[in-house]
Amino acid sequence: QGGRTGHGCCEIALQQPLFAASGSGGGFFRDGQNMWSLLDRRFEDYLGSFMLAAMAAIAFINVVVRYCTSFSFAWTEELTINFFVWITMLGTARAFREGGHLGMTALYDALPRRFRRVCYWGSVLLAVCFFGALFWTGLTEVLDEIDLEATSEALGIPVWWYTIATPAFSLLIIFRIAQRAVEDQRANNF
């Protein structure tokens, strides 16, 4: 069980069950995998799924309350918009981890392997610089919001609770870029 099926860009990853069947000898996790390897492979998936479910539940509750009464929860928009930004950042990290970003590779594919390697590492460097700059500006914003004691309009909570995701997930994305680059280097995948 598990593995991949399909061809090229149409591959489908077959999911491994989280827990081993009783008596399989794999312990709590299948094949002796530990919690860190599970988080390494699926952190973005689990956190993104939880946040998407929370967004759907919050929006549904608001619609039901608004439909049945003349009351509306103003805070639902605040949460769903910020969670949407978080999910976007998590999706970016996941795409870098899986090597799933769209790219126009006609020129890249036409180059000899040596020049493809140079282009590949150039794109890695540009991506790390971009998300490094995003980390820096996000961190600056968070520190300013802490200093100014800015609070959100609807819930009145510190705004930095929302914006801390930008520098934190930028670091996660940089980690995933490096992780993918190391895997591609080992596999000579250029």
Side-chain angles (χ1 to χ4, degrees):
Q1 309 268 0
R4 294 182 116 29
T5 184
H7 299 77
C9 65
C10 299
E11 287 184 337
I12 300 171
L14 301 176
Q15 297 295 321
Q16 295 280 351
L18 176 62
F19 302 104
S22 60
S24 67
F28 186 68
F29 293 102
R30 177 176 218 132
D31 299 327
Q33 69 185 6
N34 61 33
M35 182 62 100
W36 292 116
S37 68
L38 179 69
L39 284 175
D40 180 44
R41 286 192 333 270
R42 298 290 173 218
F43 173 74
E44 295 92 345
D45 300 341
Y46 293 145
L47 185 57
S49 298
F50 171 76
M51 292 170 69
L52 190 59
M55 285 172 58
I58 290 167
F60 177 75
I61 291 168
N62 190 37
V63 168
V64 168
V65 168
R66 191 173 45 211
Y67 182 75
C68 295
T69 69
S70 61
F71 185 72
S72 179
F73 297 127
W75 54 268
T76 59
E77 182 180 359
E78 183 177 298
L79 282 180
T80 54
I81 287 172
N82 285 290
F83 279 7
F84 186 75
V85 172
W86 291 14
I87 289 172
T88 302
M89 296 285 288
L90 287 170
T92 303
R94 183 181 191 277
F96 273 113
R97 182 189 75 216
E98 301 292 329
H101 280 288
L102 293 176
M104 295 185 284
T105 61
L107 177 63
Y108 175 83
D109 292 339
L111 293 172
R113 182 175 296 272
R114 190 175 94 208
F115 293 119
R116 284 191 303 217
R117 183 183 304 264
V118 170
C119 287
Y120 177 86
W121 287 106
S123 68
V124 167
L125 180 64
L126 286 173
V128 168
C129 287
F130 175 81
F131 286 104
L134 187 61
F135 165 78
W136 179 254
T137 56
L139 183 63
T140 302
E141 179 185 10
V142 168
L143 294 175
D144 285 345
E145 290 166 349
I146 291 172
D147 286 343
L148 297 172
E149 298 179 0
T151 58
S152 65
E153 294 291 326
L155 290 174
I157 61 174
V159 174
W160 69 267
W161 288 10
Y162 296 130
T163 57
I164 192 73
T166 301
F169 291 154
S170 292
L171 286 179
L172 175 64
I173 291 168
I174 290 170
F175 173 73
R176 294 303 189 188
I177 291 169
Q179 193 176 33
R180 183 66 193 193
V182 167
E183 289 174 11
D184 286 343
Q185 178 67 33
R186 285 183 183 153
N188 203 22
N189 191 17
F190 301 105

